[in-house]
Each structure stands twice: as structure tokens, then as C-alpha cells.
């Protein structure tokens, strides 16, 4: 996973609350190998009718170059399927802005390079008015914690540890390894103070 600090792309609003992981990728598609790409399954049942044809007025169908999504509260709630994040990433989405996220979804997002940017309800309403039914160019900066769109600057919150992981392209193991020296020192102290906690070679 590559780290990043800034991204410029087209922003689109999905003015829906409680978009859960089963909506992001219905379970019937999860037996497909990810190598075939999950982007086409993203929000499948919202984007398509029973015949599989795209609804022409659905935002992500009208604006296929979208890389920044503004959505309602509780985005990514529901089951813990990481495939929901894969579907977003494979569809070219780099960031989702919402008032709140499912906790497990947000953690999975960061581990896959996707920014779950938390914004206030007031800023969510502002962005809906700015975007209305259109796609707008937007620029975001992880380090500064803001999104620029038109002449507006919207601040967002992300856990500092998650910000570090995104900037450096780290997963949980990479983040832990940054403390390898301290872990080694603790191990040495523990060997001397409580040797019985480690199994004997005999």
C-alpha cells in the first residue's frame, strides 16, 4: 500500500444515511476473487435495477470519475466485511466524508489506504448544498486535515495514528514495527525480571 498526503479529484454527494456494508457490496458477490475487481459491485443494488441496468440518475453512475464521496451518518455500519472497503477502493474512491462511520469499517478503510474523514453534521449539510446534484473538483490534505471545494475549506477529523498510517502507507504490523526497539528492550527486561513467562528450551 502506498502512502499519500494529498489528493485532488471529483467529489460527489450520496445524501443517504446508514449506508451499510451489505449495501456497499452485497454478500452474493463476495465469492468472486478480488483479482477480478470489486469496483463493479459497489452499491450494486442501489445503482442498478433488477435487470442489472444502471439507474441513470444515481450519482456514481452519472459521475464515474468520482474519487471523493460525501455521505450521511453511519457510513459502513453493519457487518465487518472488508470487501466493502475493497469495493470502494477498486472503484477508485480515495476518501469518504461523513458525520460518522462504522468502527470496523473505518479501521479496514485505513488499512487499505482509504480515508474515512469525519465531518460535522453542519459541514455535511454545507457540502450537500455545494455539490447538489453535480460533481465538483475538490482537494484534500491529510496533514492539514481539510478539504477544499470551490471557495470553501472544510475541516475533518481522523485519529492521529490512522493519519500516520495513511501518510506512510502502513498497516497495523508496519505501525507496530516502528516500536521494535522499545519492544526489544521490554523483552530483555522481562527475561531478567520474569524468566518463567517464556517457555524453556528444554
Amino acid at each position: 500500500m502506498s502512502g499519500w498526503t494529498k489528493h485532488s479529484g471529483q467529489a460527489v454527494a450520496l445524501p443517504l444515511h446508514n449506508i451499510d456494508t451489505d449495501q456497499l457490496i452485497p454478500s452474493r458477490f463476495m465469492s468472486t476473487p478480488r483479482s477480478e475487481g470489486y469496483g463493479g459491485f459497489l452499491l450494486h443494488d442501489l445503482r442498478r435495477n433488477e435487470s442489472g441496468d444502471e439507474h441513470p440518475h444515481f450519482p456514481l453512475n452519472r459521475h464515474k470519475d468520482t474519487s471523493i464521496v460525501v455521505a450521511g451518518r453511519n457510513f459502513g455500519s453493519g457487518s465487518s466485511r472488508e470487501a466493502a472497503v475493497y469495493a470502494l477502493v477498486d472503484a477508485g474512491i480515495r476518501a469518504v466524508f461523513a458525520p460518522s462511520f462504522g468502527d470496523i469499517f473505518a479501521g479496514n478503510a485505513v488499512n487499505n489506504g482509504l480515508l474515512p474523514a469525519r465531518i460535522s453534521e453542519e459541514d455535511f449539510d454545507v457540502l450537500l448544498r455545494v455539490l447538489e446534484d453535480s460533481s465538483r473538483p475538490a482537494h484534500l490534505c491529510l496533514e492539514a486535515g481539510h478539504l477544499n471545494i470551490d471557495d470553501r475549506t472544510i475541516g475533518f477529523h481522523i485519529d492521529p495514528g490512522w493519519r500516520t498510517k495513511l501518510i506512510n502507507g502502513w498497516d497495523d504490523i508496519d505501525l507496530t514495527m516502528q516500536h521494535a526497539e522499545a519492544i526489544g528492550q521490554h523483552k530483555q527486561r522481562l527475561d531478567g525480571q520474569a524468566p518463567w513467562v517464556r517457555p524453556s528450551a528444554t
Side-chain angles (χ1 to χ4, degrees), residues 74-89:
N74 299 326
F75 189 90
S77 55
S79 64
S80 60
R81 65 188 67 172
E82 193 168 11
V85 174
Y86 297 161
L88 286 158
V89 172

Side-chain angles (χ1 to χ4, degrees), residues 128-185:
L128 289 190
R129 289 195 297 270
V130 170
L131 293 168
E132 293 183 347
D133 195 28
S134 65
S135 170
R136 305 291 297 170
H139 313 276
L140 69 88
C141 179
L142 267 175
E143 292 176 322
H146 63 231
L147 174 75
N148 291 323
I149 183 167
D150 287 350
D151 59 347
R152 298 177 184 272
T153 298
I154 302 293
F156 65 85
H157 174 78
I158 182 171
D159 177 89
W162 286 359
R163 187 194 312 271
T164 298
K165 289 169 69 174
L166 285 169
I167 289 174
N168 291 282
W170 292 342
D171 59 17
D172 289 333
I173 294 175
D174 294 320
L175 185 62
T176 300
M177 290 307 297
Q178 305 312 304
H179 305 282
E181 183 177 351
I183 292 171
Q185 292 172 351

Side-chain angles (χ1 to χ4, degrees), residues 34-54:
R34 189 189 173 188
S35 59
E36 296 183 15
Y38 276 14
F41 304 139
L42 176 64
L43 295 168
H44 182 279
D45 293 350
L46 293 176
R47 298 177 69 171
R48 300 176 182 274
N49 61 25
E50 293 182 356
S51 300
D53 299 321
E54 291 185 347

Side-chain angles (χ1 to χ4, degrees), residues 75-134:
F75 189 90
S77 55
S79 64
S80 60
R81 65 188 67 172
E82 193 168 11
V85 174
Y86 297 161
L88 286 158
V89 172
D90 290 358
I93 307 301
R94 298 296 303 276
V96 178
F97 287 75
S100 59
F101 293 88
D103 290 339
I104 296 175
F105 169 86
N108 287 336
V110 171
N111 286 335
N112 286 277
L114 175 70
L115 169 64
R118 197 168 77 242
I119 54 176
S120 67
E121 292 279 0
E122 292 77 14
D123 284 338
F124 170 66
D125 291 336
V126 168
L127 288 172
L128 289 190
R129 289 195 297 270
V130 170
L131 293 168
E132 293 183 347
D133 195 28
S134 65

